[in-house]
Amino acid sequence: MAAPPRLATTRSVLADSHHADTASVLGRSMRRVGNLLLTLSAITPAMSVFIIGQQAVQQAGTGALWCFVLAGVLAVTTAFVYAELSSAFPLTGGEYSMISATMGPSWGFMALGLNLFGGATGQAVTALGLADYLGVVFPNVPALPVALMVTAGTTVITLLNIRLNARVTGAFLVVELLALGMMTALGFFHPHRDLTAVAMHPVLLAGGTLTQPGLVAIGLATASAIYAYNGYGGAVYFGEEMYEARTKVAWVVFDSLIIALVAEFVPICAALVGAGDLKSVLGADMPFAAFLAAEGGPLVEKAVCLGVAFAIINAMIAIGLINARQLFCSARDDVWPPTMSRWLASVHPRWRSPWIATLVMGAATTGCCFVPLPLLVMLTGTGVAVIYAGVSIAAIAGRRTGRTNAGHYRMPLYPLWPAASLVGLAGVGVADVLDPAVGRPSLIANGVVMAIAAGYYLFYLKGRGHWRLRGADGQPLEVLEGLAPPLPEPISPPS
């Protein structure tokens, strides 16, 4: 039997009314296409191919094809979960809001901790990787100064209006897709082997000879490949700035994932089919750059690598927008001490952006740029898989309690998709445990972050009683109190 709803005290009602009156509202200003451009930019197909894809090739050789197929299947199952949850809770808090609303604040705070921690460290990893691709065009460019400059520049851009950011990221996105198209054409127009043969007889360079990769190598590379498609769930972070979010955001999740699947998998296939000297490509520090140089010449290599550099900048803009909105939402919910929450929940009067939260996350990223890159990589890993597991369980909990009933989209064949995701993620967890260099320490590091975040709520925030999960208008989501579902947001712009 469900517990009776808690009766709000006069004091809490007055506090909520005051919060609603003074709450900062981001405001709806874009439609489905704008959100799609931002979400695709957060996925960043070119960066995924040239950073995560190359890592998968180094781990599993041509078996990377199967790694991306398996990761794609997991991405599809998880996309159904994100679509249903984001339709029910199209809030800029993302996983923190969705998990809190369906499973309770302790679990939601674990997601909040992982996202804020991983947001800053992940941005720093991305920024420090920019020099590798700029170095193809501008040799000996220093990594740290470049990372600091691009962090400052992208932070300034993310302060601007969300519609303007959608246009900027859309322009960058065209450049990175052209770079991937060039790579695809170069491989498929001059093939050196059959795609079926590459898939059915995968090889890995070990000790100077081509051998068949083992299951452990495939598993570890698959664990890496899931990050290549990650970002489609980012559509929900822009739900409060999108018209018709409750009915449209689910389709942004699916549209962005489908485009990412094609834009990433096809160029990888092309490179492995079109590599004339497979040994030299598989043994290179940057396999795809080596493929471009060997098959297309130095000009093609420089052009595509410059496109990847644009993709990295684009990813930093899109992910910077997401990071700031996560922090903004937590402040709106009074997660932090009152003065801090009031400042972090501020919205710029002209740009309608969470400008103080944006600057704070930009500063956090800048600080992380001074952390050694191997340590950053270790700290950043695994968090995405844990978040995926969290939203999969949240979707099941939301169905059981009815807390996702307000959503417009309902996944078919429930509970197939969240169950399949959990099975796949269990395999990723096993692969991480078997990896003593990065996977296992990353699991421990992310576990510590989750424990600190949950402890912060249980032992500090809960007793103070002022945390409330809020909607886009600043009002508490009554779904948490066992009352009626939240009212739908306005679905169309004013005439």
Side-chain angles (χ1 to χ4, degrees), residues 237-316:
Y237 285 90
F238 307 113
E240 294 182 22
E241 296 161 279
M242 174 188 177
Y243 294 113
E244 303 176 285
R246 199 177 296 280
T247 59
K248 301 296 185 184
V249 72
W251 301 109
V252 176
V253 172
F254 288 122
D255 291 345
S256 61
L257 177 58
I258 290 170
I259 295 171
L261 288 171
V262 175
E264 294 181 23
F265 184 68
V266 173
I268 291 174
C269 291
L272 297 178
V273 165
D277 186 351
L278 192 58
K279 281 187 177 182
S280 64
V281 169
L282 296 182
D285 291 334
M286 298 170 64
F288 295 147
F291 159 74
L292 292 168
E295 305 300 325
L299 289 180
V300 171
E301 179 192 17
K302 290 181 179 180
V304 175
C305 287
L306 192 59
V308 176
F310 277 105
I312 291 174
I313 297 172
N314 198 28
M316 293 195 65

Side-chain angles (χ1 to χ4, degrees), residues 74 223 226-227 381-391 425 428-429 432 443:
L74 179 59
I226 65 170
Y227 302 106
T382 304
V384 170
V386 175
I387 288 291
Y388 282 0
V391 295
L425 292 166
V428 173
D432 281 330
L443 281 172

Side-chain angles (χ1 to χ4, degrees), residues 157-301:
I157 293 173
T158 54
L159 288 170
L160 304 177
N161 179 270
I162 192 70
R163 289 183 64 186
L164 179 58
N165 271 284
R167 292 170 183 165
V168 171
T169 56
F172 278 98
L173 186 64
V174 170
V175 174
E176 67 173 291
L177 292 178
L178 286 174
L180 290 175
M182 189 181 301
M183 176 174 163
T184 300
L186 190 62
F188 282 136
F189 288 171
H190 302 92
H192 289 275
R193 59 195 55 83
D194 183 69
L195 180 59
T196 303
V198 173
M200 299 308 296
H201 303 285
V203 292
L204 169 68
L205 185 67
T209 60
L210 296 175
T211 61
Q212 185 175 357
L215 291 178
V216 173
I218 296 289
L220 289 174
T222 301
S224 300
I226 65 170
Y227 302 106
Y229 298 127
N230 179 53
Y232 49 87
V236 68
Y237 285 90
F238 307 113
E240 294 182 22
E241 296 161 279
M242 174 188 177
Y243 294 113
E244 303 176 285
R246 199 177 296 280
T247 59
K248 301 296 185 184
V249 72
W251 301 109
V252 176
V253 172
F254 288 122
D255 291 345
S256 61
L257 177 58
I258 290 170
I259 295 171
L261 288 171
V262 175
E264 294 181 23
F265 184 68
V266 173
I268 291 174
C269 291
L272 297 178
V273 165
D277 186 351
L278 192 58
K279 281 187 177 182
S280 64
V281 169
L282 296 182
D285 291 334
M286 298 170 64
F288 295 147
F291 159 74
L292 292 168
E295 305 300 325
L299 289 180
V300 171
E301 179 192 17

Side-chain angles (χ1 to χ4, degrees), residues 34-53:
N35 195 339
L36 179 62
L37 292 175
L38 291 169
T39 304
L40 275 173
S41 298
I43 299 174
T44 322
M47 190 182 77
S48 297
V49 167
F50 278 84
I51 295 180
I52 301 173

